Amino acid sequence: MDMEYCLSALRALLAIDSPSGFTEKVSDYLIDELTRLGYEPHKTRKGGVVCCLGGEGNGLMLMAHVDTLGGIVSTVKSNGRLTISPVGGLRAENCETENCRVYTRFSGTYSGTLQLCNASVHVNGDYNDQKRTFQSTEVVLDEPVGSAQDTRALGIEVGDFVCFDPRTVITDSGYIKSRFLDDKLSAAMLLAFAKEIREHDRTLKRKVYLHFTVYEEVGHGASASVPEDVEELISVDMGCVGDGLTCTEREVSICAKDSGGPYDYGVTTALVEAAKAAGVKYAVDVYPYYGSDVEASLRAGYDVRHGLIGAGVYASHGYERSHIEGVENTLKLLEAYTL
């Protein structure tokens, strides 16, 4: 498949700030791109994007989410700085000293940095021992503010979204480094998959839908908008890489079980068989601390089979890393399973 296009789409997606609840712009991008490719996508009421790629019978829906971690202003402090409440699994330890943007509702966007309170080591004798939390850190605005009144005069208020720089880098050796590869890397792969089908007139074995969800990081992304003829859901999300797991960034991970329970045995077996037949480099793993979109669909009451795959991603929910080979193997598995 067109890897150059896939990486270009990835860069475009990562450049659009989209924490859960603040995803309109990234959904608009997906609508425009899928329309340009020749499809007829539509937005769901929740703001996700659904698109039928064609095919007939035995409906399959492939899911990826384009919402990310982020923050919301919870307090405008007396010194003019901001305390934030995390959106999803954002950790203060992973975003201390990161640049960010504060999106006001009516007065534009302002830049800043999340810092430890009293961040100068030459002043703060407890710097090393202080636990990093969202109560011990603050957004320092790049504006001359010294009071809550100064900050509010800019139009910044409680409830404004705070979005962190992705810092995207693709190395000459093929490593892809960025915040929010979970799950914009998979979203870019599904766009590349859609492009391959349309431009090369590929024949699908079954009817295939795409669903780009926008509330996965807070647990209810795919709890709605599954078409009636869909019998099987596969979440294309990040594959876990870490101690006790066999997947690396260069492989596609097939998840047998996560913290929500086992995935459908028949679907998982079929994915492994497809990977073997196509010579795909893969790993089967159990994720100890993980939940996915397809599990949200099951909890919502949909009577479907479910599976989970994804390119291996290291340092999840932090500054994440994958590899082009992992992307290629994931796309090869999608091709083997559907075409």
Side-chain angles (χ1 to χ4, degrees):
M1 297 190 191
D2 189 341
M3 283 300 299
E4 185 176 345
Y5 169 81
C6 184
L7 295 178
S8 175
L10 174 62
R11 289 184 184 277
L13 288 164
L14 290 167
I16 303 171
D17 292 326
S18 60
S20 306
F22 191 70
T23 55
E24 184 176 5
K25 289 182 179 179
V26 74
S27 293
D28 287 343
Y29 169 82
L30 291 168
I31 290 285
D32 290 346
E33 189 60 17
L34 287 164
T35 301
R36 188 186 69 80
L37 291 173
Y39 295 101
E40 297 180 358
H42 69 272
K43 273 191 186 181
T44 69
R45 291 190 182 96
K46 287 174 69 171
V49 174
V50 172
C51 182
C52 181
L53 301 187
E56 296 182 0
N58 191 23
L60 165 68
M61 179 169 265
L62 303 173
M63 296 179 168
H65 68 90
V66 288
D67 62 309
T68 70
L69 309 180
I72 289 181
V73 176
S74 58
T75 307
V76 180
K77 299 174 67 173
S78 60
N79 61 3
R81 297 174 181 182
L82 309 173
T83 301
I84 68 171
S85 176
V87 173
L90 189 74
R91 298 292 298 258
E93 306 97 315
N94 280 334
C95 49
E96 181 187 359
T97 74
E98 291 284 359
N99 291 327
C100 58
R101 287 164 293 284
V102 181
Y103 286 85
T104 71
R105 292 186 188 275
F106 308 110
S107 303
T109 306
Y110 295 92
S111 65
T113 307
L114 188 75
Q115 296 278 21
L116 181 69
C117 298
N118 193 20
S120 298
V121 295
H122 293 92
V123 176
N124 185 352
D126 295 325
Y127 183 92
N128 290 338
D129 299 326
Q130 193 163 354
K131 186 176 181 180
R132 271 57 173 173
T133 71
F134 288 112
Q135 295 304 310
S136 66
T137 56
E138 60 189 3
V139 173
V140 181
L141 295 166
D142 299 326
E143 299 292 333
V145 295
S147 67
Q149 183 178 0
D150 290 342
T151 297
R152 286 196 158 99
L154 298 174
I156 296 174
E157 277 293 351
V158 171
D160 290 339
F161 275 89
V162 178
C163 304
F164 289 87
D165 283 353
R167 293 194 287 124
T168 305
V169 174
I170 301 177
T171 71
D172 291 340
S173 55
Y175 284 99
I176 304 166
K177 303 191 295 183
S178 183
R179 287 187 178 276
F180 317 132
L181 296 182
D182 172 17
D183 187 32
K184 289 183 174 180
L185 181 58
S186 295
M189 285 190 272
L190 291 188
L191 286 176
F193 178 69
K195 181 176 184 287
E196 170 73 15
I197 291 168
R198 178 64 63 174
E199 291 191 351
H200 297 278
D201 197 25
R202 303 292 298 274
T203 300
L204 291 158
K205 297 175 184 176
R206 57 202 296 193
K207 193 171 186 178
V208 177
Y209 296 90
L210 302 183
H211 188 184
F212 298 92
T213 71
V214 291
Y215 283 100
E216 193 273 349
E217 294 292 0
V218 293
H220 62 89
S223 61
S225 305
V226 177
E228 290 185 3
D229 60 344
V230 167
E231 301 177 8
E232 183 178 322
L233 302 174
I234 292 180
S235 185
V236 188
D237 208 323
M238 51 151 280
C240 292
V241 175
D243 290 349
L245 305 183
T246 58
C247 188
T248 73
E249 296 106 312
R250 296 173 180 266
E251 296 159 335
V252 57
S253 178
I254 300 172
C255 183
K257 176 186 178 294
D258 64 14
S259 56
Y263 284 80
D264 184 271
Y265 187 83
V267 172
T268 302
T269 300
L271 288 165
V272 171
E273 289 173 341
K276 287 183 175 181
V280 172
K281 293 181 180 179
Y282 74 96
V284 178
D285 274 314
V286 171
Y287 305 162
Y289 310 107
Y290 196 105
S292 72
D293 262 330
V294 293
E295 290 169 318
S297 298
L298 293 180
R299 293 190 182 99
Y302 287 102
D303 182 17
V304 290
R305 299 180 296 274
H306 69 310
L308 169 62
I309 66 172
V313 172
Y314 184 66
S316 57
H317 281 195
Y319 189 57
E320 298 165 337
R321 191 179 83 158
S322 190
H323 194 275
I324 289 173
E325 289 183 15
V327 175
E328 291 172 337
N329 281 307
T330 305
L331 286 169
K332 287 177 183 178
L333 177 55
L334 286 173
E335 182 178 27
Y337 196 70
T338 62
L339 297 177

